[in-house]
Amino acid sequence: MCGIFGFASTDGRGPDLARLRWIAAETEARGRHAFGLAWVDASGAMHAFKRPGAATAALGDLDACRHAVAIIGHCRWATHGDPQDNRNNHPHPAGRGWLVHNGVVRNYAALLRRYRLRPRTDCDSEVLGLLMMRRAGTLAQRAAWAAGQTEGPLALLGLWRNPVRLVVVRRGNPLWFAHTPGGLYFASLPAGLPSQVFPVADDSVSVLRLDDGSLRHPDLPILA
Ligand code: GLU
C-alpha cells in the first residue's frame, strides 16, 4: 500500500514547496519504508533521488524540487524487495523516464519469464518500466500496454523529458488531483491536496505534456 504524488506546472514555475511537503507528509501514511522523487527542472534537466526511510525523516529533501516543472514522488510500503537496498525503492527507471507505482504486480514472475526480462532489483514494480521499453509507440500506448500486461490494481505516475510529459495511470487504486493557479497536484490520498479535489478516472491512461515548462491545456481526460 504505497502512496504516490506528483506535480505539473501550468505557469512554468516550480511547486509550492509547503504544499508539496504537506502532500508528502500525508502520503507517508501509506508507506514509511522509503521515499523517492524524480523531477524535471525548467531547464529541462531530469533528476531522481531515493532513500530508505519515511518521507518525514527529511522533508527538506523536497527542496531540491524548488524549480521543478514536473515531479513524481513515492512513499513506499515494500511488498517485494528490501528497502534497505536502495535499488528496490522508487522511482524505477523506464528507459529515459522514471516511474513510481502503487500496487503489487501479481504476475511479476510470469511476466519476467514470458518477456525474458532482466530485472536489476527485487521489486515487482520494476517490471512496468522494463515492459514499457519492450514496446514501440507513443508514451500513452506503451504505458497502457505495460499496465495491461500486469495483474492487480495499480496507480502509477511516470516522468519523461524532451518534451516534459507526466504519465498518469489508474486501475483500481486511489489517485486524486487538484488544480491550483500554479499547477496540478496529484496524490494517492486527497488529504494534502488543495480544495476541489477530483478523482483521476479509473481505468485511465493519460499523458500530460508541458510545452516550454508549462501545461498549456489542462483540460484533462483524467476527470472521472
Ligand atoms: N510492490 C511495490 C513495492 O514493493 C509497491 C508497493 C505498494 O504499492 O504497496 O515497492
Side-chain angles (χ1 to χ4, degrees), residues 32-45:
R32 298 176 54 84
H33 294 148
F35 179 62
L37 299 163
W39 69 97
V40 181
D41 283 337
S43 66

Side-chain angles (χ1 to χ4, degrees), residues 1-2 74 76-80 90 101-104 123-125:
M1 191 192 69
C2 306
H74 195 262
R76 184 170 186 227
W77 180 270
T79 66
H80 295 64
H90 304 227
H101 167 234
N102 163 221
V104 173
C123 182
D124 57 322
S125 307

